[in-house]
Amino acid sequence: MTKTLAHSPANTLVVLDFETSGLSPSQGARAIEIGAVLIEQGQITARFSELMNPGFRISSFIEDYTGISNQMLAHASPCAEVMARFAEFIGKHHLVAHNAAFDQRFLEAEFSHIGHQYPGQFGCSLLLSRRLYPEAINHQLATLVRHKQLPTNGTFHRALADAEMTGHLWLRMLADLKQGYAIAEPPFSLMQKIMTKTKADVPNFLRQYARG
């Protein structure tokens, strides 16, 4: 990266999404698919998508929910091999996910299995959308895709499709900051600060930031 992580732009990062065998790695759940897009200077420039074999059979509920079958996973690479390749894909970039706390737990758990620690930080498009789009009826990814008329192929709960839609949502939020507040190139650190503000405080905070 040309800039340090502390001052890296919000329009250059990796957006990721996991499909998993359960809700929490602390309860033995593992990742079964990872999808991600690399955004550089506001454009999606690369994609990563792989199924990953957790070493056990997943439930019929997860099969139905994700469309990922045990037969598909039987032919997939082990989690460790996929996560090693994904570590190379993300490099030192910051990361974004929708409901990032969930994906961050699984990323850290899967990386811990291979002894890897990523240097970047996480941003949450769910938290950010709650601050920037309080008028939305809810802030689920599918709702926001319709609300902002974002590109979609209609597929949900598959990792790459969700990562792509989250990437488009993130870029729309950057565009709306530019249009609404004349903040043309926000750093990633600003996006993190917005997430910590109350909804009522966000407009005044952004106006003050724009004035410098």
Side-chain angles (χ1 to χ4, degrees):
M1 297 173 67
T2 58
K3 297 186 179 183
T4 66
L5 282 175
H7 299 94
S8 61
N11 67 357
T12 298
L13 40 72
V14 169
V15 182
L16 65 93
D17 182 77
F18 279 109
E19 300 302 330
T20 65
S21 69
L23 293 177
S24 174
S26 66
Q27 298 174 346
R30 297 293 301 269
I32 59 173
E33 185 179 42
I34 186 167
V37 294
L38 173 62
I39 297 175
E40 295 181 290
Q41 297 180 356
Q43 300 292 326
I44 294 176
T45 58
R47 293 167 175 80
F48 185 99
S49 178
E50 286 201 47
L51 293 169
M52 42 209 299
N53 189 335
F56 54 81
R57 291 183 63 81
I58 61 173
S59 69
S60 58
F61 172 80
I62 295 297
E63 284 188 306
D64 292 341
Y65 183 75
T66 63
I68 299 170
S69 69
N70 280 291
Q71 184 177 9
M72 293 163 65
L73 295 178
H75 298 285
S77 298
C79 292
E81 293 181 13
V82 176
M83 293 309 297
R85 290 191 284 270
F86 186 61
E88 292 185 10
F89 180 81
I90 65 175
K92 296 181 179 180
H93 288 95
H94 288 313
L95 305 170
V96 165
H98 203 69
N99 190 21
F102 175 87
D103 295 276
Q104 185 173 5
R105 284 195 298 270
F106 276 94
L107 183 71
E108 291 175 350
E110 293 297 341
F111 272 161
S112 71
H113 288 299
I114 64 172
H116 180 73
Q117 196 169 26
Y118 63 94
Q121 297 180 20
F122 254 93
C124 181
S125 57
L126 172 61
L127 293 179
L128 195 61
S129 68
R130 286 175 177 166
R131 273 65 177 177
L132 296 182
Y133 306 134
E135 76 284 356
I137 58 173
N138 64 57
H139 295 84
Q140 297 175 7
L141 183 57
T143 302
L144 293 168
V145 166
R146 291 191 297 269
H147 179 62
K148 302 303 291 186
Q149 298 182 313
L150 302 175
T152 176
N153 64 5
T155 300
F156 290 89
H157 306 305
R158 287 301 300 268
L160 182 59
D162 285 358
E164 291 239 16
M165 287 181 285
T166 302
H168 288 300
L169 173 62
W170 185 264
L171 292 174
R172 175 59 62 85
M173 290 190 284
L174 295 182
D176 288 344
L177 285 177
K178 181 177 181 180
Q179 181 177 0
Y181 297 94
I183 301 174
E185 295 184 0
F188 185 79
S189 58
L190 174 64
M191 312 303 278
Q192 290 181 305
K193 289 177 183 176
I194 296 171
M195 291 177 235
T196 67
K197 303 296 180 182
T198 66
K199 296 175 186 177
D201 288 341
V202 166
N204 188 51
F205 169 74
L206 290 174
R207 284 192 291 267
Q208 289 181 337
Y209 180 89
R211 289 197 295 266

